[in-house]
Amino acid sequence: GEDLVRMEEGDAAVVWRGPRKNGLIKQFLTETDWGVGGLDYLIIDTPPGTSDEHISIVQYLNDARPMLTEDGNKKSGASGAIVVTTPEEVSMADVRKELNFCKKTSVPVLGIVENMSGLQVRVSDLSFHREGTNLSENGASSASDCTSDVLSLLREKCPEVLSMVASTEVFPTYGGGPKGMAEKFNVPYLGKLPLDTNLLKACEEGASFVDKYPSSPATSPLNGIVDKLILALPVEDEEDGDEDMQD
């Protein structure tokens, strides 16, 4: 209890060795009462890599939720892994290790998400600066900012452009990118999720992104990815006996 209280201090570092971390993972996965009816989904966000924590999560889920295939063989207690990567090789190299880890531990891969796939911003939300402005040093000066002039010109000459979405690649795509990697490993490709400033704002505010920014560039891609996951892992209906008890 004391350790968990310390973790709530925003800037406090949690200095734990492996056994302490594994003990907390075990407590959450095997000793926690999630209430009547349990959870629809338990989503565990893990850091990159294939460390002790990843192995512990798989093992404890296997113990807490033993599963059998139709022919009676054991399968992973984890319903599946969602693998997230950016499109450059440095990131995908780590993700290939994750995919092989899932294969060795019999964790199904629900799919690969291509994250930060370009930056998409509505033209009306862009800032404009005169050529030669150095934006890296204390920002741009007010003299170099010509946003108001550009937007006024667009409203007068070409207003339809203001509702368009400007897009640019932030990370270079290596080879076939995440989609090609998904094909190589024979796992689903769930889609691309672009960088979106409104998504970052929603995270900072603790708000539902898709509800607060329904027309933002990343809303439709995010909803599409979630729809595919729900289709792959529908919420299990309660058994008739459980329903009778609740009535």
Side-chain angles (χ1 to χ4, degrees):
E2 182 183 351
D3 288 328
L4 291 179
V5 170
R6 284 202 217 109
M7 289 173 64
E8 293 178 359
E9 298 176 8
D11 296 327
V14 180
V15 185
W16 286 358
R17 292 185 182 274
R20 294 291 299 279
K21 290 187 286 186
N22 290 335
L24 184 60
I25 292 171
K26 180 180 180 181
Q27 184 179 8
F28 272 120
L29 297 183
T30 67
E31 302 172 11
T32 300
D33 182 359
W34 298 105
V36 177
L39 302 173
D40 290 340
Y41 298 100
L42 175 63
I43 301 174
I44 303 171
D45 183 11
T46 64
T50 52
S51 62
D52 286 349
E53 289 87 348
H54 297 76
I55 299 170
S56 295
I57 289 170
V58 172
Q59 289 178 341
Y60 290 136
L61 281 175
N62 288 346
D63 295 339
R65 192 170 178 263
M67 304 286 283
L68 297 176
T69 60
E70 292 181 358
D71 56 6
N73 294 321
K74 289 184 178 181
K75 64 177 183 178
S76 173
S79 299
I82 305 163
V83 183
V84 181
T85 182
T86 46
E88 79 280 11
E89 171 60 8
V90 172
S91 177
M92 292 198 299
D94 281 340
V95 166
R96 288 194 292 271
K97 297 181 178 70
E98 296 278 1
L99 292 170
N100 283 314
F101 172 85
C102 290
K103 183 177 181 180
K104 290 180 179 179
T105 55
S106 301
V107 175
V109 176
L110 300 176
I112 293 175
V113 174
E114 184 174 343
N115 195 24
M116 303 184 189
S117 178
L119 172 66
Q120 296 186 10
V121 184
R122 293 193 180 280
V123 172
S124 57
D125 294 332
L126 289 171
S127 296
F128 298 88
H129 299 271
R130 292 180 174 80
E131 188 176 1
T133 301
N134 186 350
L135 300 178
S136 63
E137 294 183 2
N138 300 321
S141 67
S142 57
S144 70
D145 189 331
C146 55
T147 302
S148 179
D149 293 338
V150 172
L151 294 180
S152 295
L153 183 63
L154 288 174
R155 290 190 192 97
E156 179 185 351
K157 302 294 185 180
C158 199
E160 62 272 17
V161 172
L162 294 173
S163 61
M164 294 181 178
V165 174
S167 157
T168 184
E169 294 300 320
V170 178
F171 300 103
T173 300
Y174 176 81
K179 187 173 184 179
M181 182 172 60
E183 293 172 354
K184 180 179 178 180
F185 281 83
N186 195 28
V187 297
Y189 176 72
L190 297 176
K192 298 181 177 182
L193 187 64
L195 281 165
D196 186 333
T197 55
N198 288 330
L199 177 55
L200 302 180
K201 289 178 185 177
C203 291
E204 291 288 339
E205 298 165 359
S208 169
F209 166 64
V210 296
D211 291 333
K212 188 166 184 177
Y213 303 101
S215 60
S216 203
T219 300
S220 179
L222 182 59
N223 278 331
I225 291 169
V226 172
D227 288 343
K228 290 176 183 178
L229 292 171
I230 292 175
L231 189 63
L233 282 181
V235 176
E236 297 176 358
D237 293 330
E238 295 180 0
E239 296 181 1
D240 293 338
D242 292 337
E243 292 176 353
D244 292 338
M245 289 177 63
Q246 291 181 358
D247 293 336

